[in-house]
């Protein structure tokens, strides 16, 4: 059995976080949920995930701030980050790209299988 | 009494006297000679008788003879006298005739001639060529007439000259009069021009004063020559004298947080570059009180006779507009985020259920969840379409033209709807002119156009209907045509087709899908690219849409948002899901 990959989901919306959890666990991933950026930063100190699904608009610490904090630590350079946001403006996409996200997905425009395909692609590559 | 008449009378008198005298003389003579003869004869007879009585015989014959001789001599004397008198008469007659011929006649003729000359015919001459005094007189008179004629000619010439010069002076006078009138007209025109210019200047001043935009004019050195009241208000310098001061003291600006030196301001730069310059969008003017004013500005060099003499800056306070813009942008952001988040949860949960990830569901439940899923996707599409509309209306859709093969885009779109085409067993015909090649357009926007038109054609086609797509070159435009044999648009609704949220009445019962925003967006894209869109439709007989796009392509426009691609709830996602 291949090594189980860990995915950190940073999402404040419970209903969405639940879907991630169910779907990803169903697909055989180890899923950790963090409700905001701050929580996610402390989680990372304990477990380093293989991939992070990152929401942007969150209380306490938003996705962009979390991402810039994360990338400050050279140890975290290899963690793949997919931004999962409902902000569709180019300016946001550009910012995410600049901060080192590998993908920027508008949640409502994508179906869950597509997201899974992308996760698999980035983890496999 | 005229000489002629006098001479006539004199002549008559002389004749009469001569004749009377002659008659008296002759009668006297005859009487004398007869008396004498009688006396002599009587005396002789008496003498003879005396003698006879005295017997003296005497013969009187010799005495008679002597008497006869005496009578004869008397006769002779009388004849000589008569002849003498006749000669005198003849001489007098000749004298008078000569006098008449050589004096009276020429004088009468000359008088007639002079009458003619006197009447003004100076070319007339006295035709009298005699070598006498009268002839001399005639010659003299002719010379005089000649002289007179010459003088008259000269006078005439002088007169002519005078007339000519008079005419000339008349002409000159008229010319001067014309000049005078022209000058008056010119003066009036100048006066009018002046009045107009003053009015124009006043008008311009009023216009400049009443403008909402600030207007600032500087000379080459950057000294302010004029600033309207709106400009002063924007800069908070209503009570300050700005004219004559340098632009660096009156127009303080920052960009971001950095101060912009006067020489870098568009109003100064435009003079160097010799062309109009738009101020940077993040330029802020600092008012007198120190507050920041967001401005939109354009500076143009003032070029007079191809020489830059200064510059004019037009600026507008857009602080409020920027705030509204920001609010709008935030609202769009909130709507997009706040609506999309619950929609995402709904969508994904639904997808998991439908995928069987949460356990088996019954056929009925499956049908129900599918319907729910369709509605969720429709809401996603609606949110996206509304965002697009908001962005289009705010003019903030980014247009990034790149060489694009329209044929490939069209075919790609048709490929995207393959499943739907198969489901409805539609016959698709394409007629694409490959010579069109690549055109500089934004592929996302063009795909949006094709997606909307093609998806509509498919959606509103009946089973086994036909959809056709053609792209043709039409002069400097590309003409696209997408037609179907479907439901068509009711005639009474045709004028509303491109309005927001339009849905055909005849399709609402058949199809609850669709946002009613697609064609509005398509029209906005086509028209902002310099093209046109129109259609023909008959209810139950299909619809044909035509659009044109200039071959020169779209103009680049930077904006902060791209259009959200049409994601048909019933198309794209299903297709992916099924794959």
């Amino acid at each position: 059995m291949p090594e189980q990959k860990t995915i950190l989901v940073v999402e404040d919306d419970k209903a969405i976080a639940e879907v991630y959890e169910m779907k990803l666990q169903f697909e055989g991933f180890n899923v950790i949920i963090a409700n905001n950026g701050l929580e996610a930063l402390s989680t990372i100190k304990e477990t380093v995930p293989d991939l992070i699904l990152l929401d942007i608009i969150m209380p306490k610490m938003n996705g962009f701030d979390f991402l810039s904090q994360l990338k400050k630590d050279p140890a975290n350079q290899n963690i793949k980050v997919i931004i999962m946001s409902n902000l569709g403006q180019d300016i946001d996409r550009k910012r995410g790209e600049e901060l080192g996200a590998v993908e920027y997905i508008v949640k409502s425009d994508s179906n869950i299988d597509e997201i899974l395909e992308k996760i698999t692609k980035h983890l496999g590559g | 009494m005229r000489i002629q008449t006098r001479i006539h009378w004199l002549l008559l008198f002389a004749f009469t006297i001569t004749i009377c005298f002659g008659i008296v003389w002759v009668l006297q003579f005859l009487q004398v000679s007869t008396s004498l003869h009688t006396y002599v004869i009587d005396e002789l007879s008496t003498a003879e008788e005396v003698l006879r009585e005295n017997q003296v015989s005497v013969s009187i014959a010799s005495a008679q003879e002597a008497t006869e001789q005496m009578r004869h001599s008397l006769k002779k004397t009388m004849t000589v006298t008569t002849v003498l008198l006749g000669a005198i008469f003849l001489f007098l007659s000749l004298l008078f005739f000569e006098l008449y011929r050589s004096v009276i006649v020429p004088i009468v003729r000359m008088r007639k001639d002079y009458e003619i000359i006197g009447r003004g015919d100076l070319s007339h001459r006295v035709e009298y060529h005699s070598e006498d005094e009268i002839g001399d007189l005639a010659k003299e008179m002719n010379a005089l007439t000649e002289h007179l004629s010459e003088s008259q000619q000269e006078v005439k010439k002088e007169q002519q000259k005078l007339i000519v010069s008079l005419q000339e002076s008349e002409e000159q006078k008229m010319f001067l009069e014309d000049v005078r009138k022209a000058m008056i007209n010119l003066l009036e025109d100048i006066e009018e021009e002046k009045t107009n210019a003053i009015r124009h200047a006043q008008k311009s001043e009023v216009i400049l004063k009443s403008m909402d935009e600030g207007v600032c004019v500087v000379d080459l050195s950057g000294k302010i020559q004029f600033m309207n009241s709106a400009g002063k208000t924007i800069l908070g310098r209503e009570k300050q004298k700005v004219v004559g001061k340098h632009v660096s003291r009156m127009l303080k600006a920052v960009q971001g947080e950095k101060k912009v030196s006067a020489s870098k301001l568009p109003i100064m730069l435009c003079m160097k570059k010799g062309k109009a310059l738009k101020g940077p969008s993040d330029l802020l003017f600092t008012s007198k009180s120190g507050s920041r004013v967001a401005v939109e500005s354009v500076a143009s060099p003032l070029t007079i006779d191809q020489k830059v003499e200064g510059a004019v800056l037009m600026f507008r306070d857009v602080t409020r507009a920027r705030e509204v813009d920001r609010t709008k942008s935030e609202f769009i952001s909130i709507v997009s985020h706040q609506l999309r988040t619950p929609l995402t949860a709904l969508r994904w949960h639904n997808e998991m259920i439908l995928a069987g990830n949460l356990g088996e569901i019954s056929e009925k439940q499956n049908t129900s969840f599918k319907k729910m899923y369709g509605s969720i996707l429709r809401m996603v599409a609606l949110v996206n379409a509304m965002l697009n509309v908001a962005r289009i209306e705010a003019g903030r859709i980014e247009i990034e033209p790149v060489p694009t093969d329209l044929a490939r885009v069209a075919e790609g779109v048709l490929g995207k709807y393959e499943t739907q085409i198969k489901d409805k067993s539609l016959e698709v015909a394409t007629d694409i002119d490959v010579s069109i090649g690549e055109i500089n357009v934004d592929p996302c926007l063009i795909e949006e156009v094709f997606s909307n038109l093609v998806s509509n054609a498919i959606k509103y086609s009946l089973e086994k209907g036909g959809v056709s797509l053609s792209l043709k070159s039409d002069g400097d435009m590309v003409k696209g045509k997408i037609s179907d044999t479907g439901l068509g648009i009711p005639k009474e609704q045709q004028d509303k087709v491109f309005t927001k949220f339009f849905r055909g009445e005849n399709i609402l019962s058949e199809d609850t899908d669709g946002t009613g925003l697609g064609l509005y967006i398509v029209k906005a894209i086509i028209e902002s690219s310099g093209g046109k869109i129109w259609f023909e439709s008959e209810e139950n007989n299909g619809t044909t849409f035509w659009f044109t796009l200039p071959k020169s392509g779209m103009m680049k426009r930077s904006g902060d948002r791209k259009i959200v691609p049409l994601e048909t709830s019933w198309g794209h996602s299903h297709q992916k899901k099924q794959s």
Side-chain angles (χ1 to χ4, degrees):
Chain A
M1 191 170 168
E3 192 196 339
Q4 198 183 31
K5 301 267 186 187
T6 300
I7 295 173
L8 169 65
V9 175
V10 190
E11 172 66 65
D12 63 321
D13 190 282
K14 297 267 188 309
I16 292 175
E18 246 172 62
V19 183
Y20 282 132
E21 199 173 8
M22 288 193 288
K23 187 74 184 180
L24 293 173
Q25 279 175 355
F26 186 83
E27 297 294 332
F29 293 105
N30 179 30
V31 182
I32 307 165
I33 307 281
N35 284 318
N36 57 57
L38 272 181
E39 236 182 87
L41 281 177
S42 55
T43 307
I44 284 171
K45 283 174 192 158
E46 293 161 20
T47 322
V48 177
D50 298 289
L51 187 137
I52 299 172
L53 293 178
L54 178 66
D55 187 22
I56 296 295
I57 309 292
M58 290 177 294
K60 290 181 186 167
M61 184 185 271
N62 74 28
F64 290 131
D65 291 343
F66 164 76
L67 190 55
S68 52
Q69 291 284 326
L70 176 82
K71 292 287 176 182
K72 271 184 188 164
D73 187 346
N76 298 332
Q77 290 303 322
N78 293 329
I79 306 175
K80 304 245 167 80
V81 177
I82 297 178
I83 291 178
M84 300 293 302
S85 173
N86 272 326
L87 297 178
Q89 303 187 14
D90 272 12
I91 192 164
D92 303 319
R93 289 176 183 272
K94 218 174 158 191
R95 194 161 168 208
E97 206 177 288
E98 278 166 8
L99 290 171
V102 292
E103 193 93 41
Y104 192 111
I105 296 170
V106 175
K107 285 185 276 192
S108 65
D109 291 344
S110 316
N111 76 42
I112 196 83
D113 292 325
E114 280 177 285
I115 296 162
L116 211 60
E117 274 171 34
K118 282 182 177 151
I119 291 170
T120 316
K121 184 184 104 188
H122 287 297
L123 284 176
Chain B
M1 199 188 281
R2 307 194 72 82
I3 295 174
Q4 193 182 7
T5 321
R6 268 188 264 171
I7 287 171
H8 282 157
W9 280 114
L10 208 62
L11 214 56
L12 194 64
F13 181 67
F15 270 121
T16 315
I17 294 290
T18 311
I19 287 165
C20 288
F21 186 75
I23 291 166
V24 169
W25 197 83
V26 168
L27 287 175
Q28 205 68 37
F29 182 77
L30 283 175
Q31 199 186 357
V32 167
S33 73
T34 308
S35 316
L36 193 62
H37 186 254
T38 312
Y39 176 74
V40 167
I41 293 296
D42 282 352
E43 285 299 309
L44 278 172
S45 299
T46 315
E48 203 180 54
E49 267 172 36
V50 166
L51 284 166
R52 249 180 236 150
E53 277 167 17
N54 299 350
Q55 291 171 343
V56 174
S57 144
V58 199
S59 176
I60 61 159
S62 57
Q64 271 179 316
E65 202 180 310
T67 309
E68 214 46 53
Q69 268 181 347
M70 195 176 69
R71 232 178 91 178
H72 188 74
S73 114
L74 263 172
K75 256 189 180 171
K76 210 175 161 185
T77 309
M78 201 187 73
T79 307
V80 168
T81 311
T82 306
V83 167
L84 200 70
L85 274 171
I88 290 168
F89 180 75
L90 195 68
F91 172 74
L92 275 173
S93 296
L94 279 172
L95 185 74
F96 278 118
F97 177 75
E98 179 57 24
L99 191 69
Y100 191 80
R101 190 192 64 86
S102 61
V103 177
I104 302 299
V105 171
I107 284 175
V108 169
R109 264 176 60 190
M110 275 163 72
R111 194 184 71 92
K112 279 182 186 161
D113 285 332
Y114 283 120
E115 239 175 47
I116 292 169
I117 292 165
R119 275 203 296 271
D121 183 4
L122 289 183
S123 63
H124 190 81
R125 292 289 174 273
V126 179
E127 288 301 322
Y128 188 78
H129 309 289
S130 168
E131 293 298 320
D132 54 14
E133 289 84 347
I134 302 283
D136 288 348
L137 186 68
K139 268 186 210 162
E140 284 302 318
M141 290 307 279
N142 275 346
L144 190 69
T145 311
E146 186 72 27
H147 186 68
L148 203 66
S149 171
E150 277 170 12
S151 300
Q152 201 196 34
Q153 289 290 333
E154 260 171 45
V155 167
K156 268 189 183 166
K157 267 185 205 164
E158 285 301 314
Q159 198 188 21
Q160 203 65 36
K161 272 186 200 166
L162 212 63
I163 286 169
V164 169
S165 80
L166 261 173
Q167 276 174 347
E168 276 174 6
S169 76
E170 189 65 26
E171 276 169 17
Q172 224 154 18
K173 201 180 130 192
M174 274 162 73
F175 173 71
L176 282 172
E177 183 62 21
D178 284 349
V179 169
R180 195 181 69 92
K181 279 182 189 162
M183 289 298 281
I184 288 172
N185 283 343
L186 197 68
L187 280 170
E188 279 173 357
D189 284 354
I190 289 170
E191 192 59 31
E192 204 181 311
E193 284 290 315
K194 200 178 131 192
T195 318
N196 281 348
I198 290 170
R199 205 171 298 155
H200 194 72
Q202 284 171 340
K203 224 179 186 176
S204 303
E205 211 178 310
V206 169
I207 291 169
L208 285 172
K209 274 186 182 164
S210 62
M211 271 168 75
D212 270 349
E213 269 93 2
V215 178
C216 177
V217 181
V218 295
D219 64 10
L220 267 178
S221 69
K223 256 190 202 156
I224 294 174
Q225 291 183 318
F226 170 82
M227 189 184 285
N228 69 347
S229 43
K232 287 184 184 176
T233 309
I234 292 169
L235 298 171
R237 298 182 189 275
E238 294 98 325
K239 286 173 189 161
Q240 210 179 348
K241 190 176 174 276
V242 293
V243 172
K245 293 187 179 157
H246 196 264
V247 77
S248 58
R249 290 175 57 201
M250 295 295 122
L251 280 180
K252 291 179 178 163
V254 290
Q255 200 174 349
E257 281 306 310
K258 271 201 260 169
K259 275 193 179 176
V260 182
S261 68
S263 60
K264 294 272 168 62
L265 280 173
I267 194 167
M268 297 306 286
L269 276 180
C270 76
M271 288 192 275
K272 258 189 213 164
K273 298 199 172 169
K275 61 175 186 180
L277 290 178
K278 223 174 155 183
S281 57
D282 54 347
L283 190 73
L284 302 171
F285 280 157
T286 314
S287 76
K288 195 175 177 245
S289 62
S291 59
R292 301 267 161 95
V293 187
V295 285
E296 248 175 36
S297 61
V298 183
S300 316
L302 286 175
T303 312
I304 299 165
D305 293 333
Q306 297 182 329
K307 211 179 130 203
V308 176
E309 306 220 327
V312 59
L313 176 78
M314 305 260 297
F315 55 106
R316 198 151 59 95
D317 182 352
V318 291
T319 314
R320 213 169 130 62
R322 291 263 163 90
E323 264 168 36
V324 170
D325 221 33
R326 198 163 32 243
T327 315
K328 224 173 173 180
S329 179
E330 275 167 11
F331 177 74
I332 291 171
S333 180
I334 288 165
V335 166
S336 69
H337 188 260
Q338 300 301 77
L339 284 178
R340 276 166 162 178
T341 303
L343 280 173
T344 310
L346 277 169
R347 178 179 184 165
W348 289 352
H349 277 283
N350 227 297
E351 280 171 4
M352 284 188 70
I353 293 167
L354 285 171
N357 294 155
L358 303 178
E360 283 294 311
I361 51 168
S362 71
E363 196 58 39
K364 273 188 178 175
Q365 284 168 332
N366 188 52
T367 313
S368 185
F369 276 116
K370 264 191 180 161
K371 279 187 180 160
M372 211 191 290
Y373 188 66
S375 292
I376 292 164
L377 292 188
R378 204 180 139 218
M379 271 190 76
V380 170
L382 196 59
V383 167
N384 285 343
M386 278 171 75
L387 284 172
N388 282 344
V389 169
R391 286 163 193 183
I392 283 169
E393 285 179 353
R396 296 180 75 167
I397 285 287
E398 185 182 271
I399 302 176
E400 183 97 56
V402 288
T404 306
D405 185 351
L406 294 185
R408 193 173 291 172
V409 175
E411 277 160 2
V413 167
L414 282 173
K416 210 165 86 177
Y417 295 105
E418 213 176 337
T419 321
Q420 288 71 43
I421 291 165
K422 266 187 200 158
D423 284 352
K424 280 193 166 179
S425 312
L426 300 177
E427 202 167 295
V428 177
T430 55
D431 181 8
I432 292 169
D433 182 355
V434 287
S435 72
I436 296 168
E438 290 186 333
I439 291 175
N440 242 2
V441 291
D442 187 319
C444 294
L445 295 178
I446 284 305
E447 194 180 331
E448 187 68 12
V449 170
F450 281 115
S451 291
N452 273 292
L453 295 176
V454 168
S455 72
N456 280 350
I458 295 168
K459 224 190 299 187
Y460 305 127
S461 277
L462 301 171
E463 294 265 328
K464 291 179 181 164
V467 169
S468 75
L469 186 154
S470 85
L471 272 177
K472 296 267 149 140
S473 177
D474 183 19
D476 51 2
M477 305 291 266
V478 175
K479 194 170 174 184
K481 178 183 159 197
I482 288 144
S483 62
D484 63 63
T485 53
L487 296 165
I489 304 159
K491 212 160 195 92
E492 62 277 10
Q493 281 195 297
Q494 291 193 354
D495 56 337
K496 297 193 190 95
V497 164
F498 294 109
T499 55
K500 267 184 274 186
F501 301 109
F502 167 80
R503 308 291 323 272
E505 271 170 11
N506 57 334
I507 58 166
L508 282 173
S509 53
E510 306 271 334
D511 162 56
T512 51
D513 202 357
T515 61
L517 292 168
L519 287 174
Y520 175 81
I521 292 167
V522 167
K523 189 171 191 257
I525 294 171
I526 293 284
E527 287 182 352
S528 71
S529 313
K532 273 186 188 160
I533 181 161
W534 67 100
F535 69 95
E536 265 174 28
S537 181
E538 202 181 313
E539 206 172 347
N540 298 320
N541 226 343
T543 305
T544 302
F545 276 93
W546 282 273
F547 67 86
T548 57
L549 277 175
K551 284 181 180 167
S552 54
M554 295 178 176
M555 294 284 281
K556 185 181 167 65
R557 187 170 71 199
S558 50
D560 43 16
R561 300 166 186 117
K562 269 213 185 285
I563 202 155
V564 183
L566 174 74
E567 187 138 9
T568 50
S569 50
W570 53 282
H572 189 59
S573 306
H574 268 299
Q575 192 188 334
K576 289 270 179 182
K577 193 174 164 267
Q578 280 159 5
S579 61

